[in-house]
Amino acid sequence: MRSYIEKRNALILALSKFVGCPVLMSSQVEPEMEPPFIVYSITSDYTPDNGLGNYSLEDGSTEGTAVEVREEQPTTTMSFTACSINRIEERDGEQVPILGADEALELATLAQGFFLHGGRYATQKAGFVVVDVTNATSRDALELDEMGRRFGFDVRLRYTRTDLAEVDTVSNVTTKQKE
């Protein structure tokens, strides 16, 4: 049984490998990060389906105890933003202009494709099922003296949440006869 954070980290690692660039939590991006890269944030880590969940009992860690298990399938919403800037790169000895808006849109589209089809197995292996992928829209931002080109989208995923509570059990019962 993996925690939400372990599942999220497995998903982000698989996405990073798929798109071929870093995928970083938005609050952990260093200002000197070279584009292109993707940042993500968790819009909502737990949106319940308003059910009570499924309950079961398992043996506890010590004799005379049991573990009450509650499982449910809430959703989480993650927001992804592909980031780039206009720049000149040297490739094969030539100066190649990179249009940041085009690069960011292509990267966002590639990341969307991961959730729509290409990363289905990796998403499932991480412990999620895709519920919804939104359209990629411009999220440009002014960065000091130039425009940071950004395109972003949101993904809603379903996962299994398991909560455990150790409970005491009744082992010896004595009944008294009424006189």
Side-chain angles (χ1 to χ4, degrees), residues 37-39 79-84 99-109 111-112 135-141 148-154:
F37 58 91
I38 295 176
V39 294
S79 182
F80 294 90
T81 304
C83 305
S84 183
L99 297 175
D102 290 347
E103 184 177 52
L105 180 57
E106 285 179 350
L107 188 55
T109 301
Q112 281 177 310
N135 189 28
T137 59
S138 177
R139 297 180 180 176
D140 288 348
R149 302 299 181 179
R150 299 176 178 190
F151 276 86
F153 63 95
D154 295 344

Side-chain angles (χ1 to χ4, degrees), residues 59-178:
D59 290 334
S61 58
T62 59
E63 190 170 328
T65 63
V67 175
E68 185 178 56
V69 180
R70 178 184 177 272
E71 288 187 332
E72 65 174 326
Q73 294 186 337
T75 59
T76 181
T77 303
M78 297 181 183
S79 182
F80 294 90
T81 304
C83 305
S84 183
I85 57 172
N86 293 337
R87 63 189 185 283
I88 304 289
E89 283 190 359
E90 187 167 325
R91 294 184 184 169
D92 300 325
E94 291 185 36
Q95 299 290 322
V96 178
I98 304 294
L99 297 175
D102 290 347
E103 184 177 52
L105 180 57
E106 285 179 350
L107 188 55
T109 301
L110 183 61
Q112 281 177 310
F114 172 84
F115 291 105
L116 292 169
H117 183 68
R120 284 185 311 175
Y121 177 71
T123 302
Q124 176 189 1
K125 189 175 177 185
F128 295 99
V129 173
V130 176
V131 175
D132 184 40
V133 178
T134 65
N135 189 28
T137 59
S138 177
R139 297 180 180 176
D140 288 348
L142 184 61
E143 296 178 4
L144 295 177
D145 60 345
E146 64 184 315
M147 187 63 79
R149 302 299 181 179
R150 299 176 178 190
F151 276 86
F153 63 95
D154 295 344
V155 176
R156 194 162 46 112
L157 304 160
R158 186 168 305 284
Y159 67 100
T160 299
R161 175 183 170 143
T162 304
D163 294 298
L164 307 174
E166 195 161 297
V167 294
D168 290 330
T169 59
V170 177
S171 56
N172 295 323
V173 177
T174 305
T175 56
K176 292 187 175 184
Q177 297 289 332
K178 201 173 194 182

Side-chain angles (χ1 to χ4, degrees), residues 30-46:
E30 298 177 19
E32 56 273 352
M33 174 65 69
E34 291 295 320
F37 58 91
I38 295 176
V39 294
Y40 75 94
S41 61
I42 307 299
T43 305
S44 170
D45 68 328
Y46 173 72

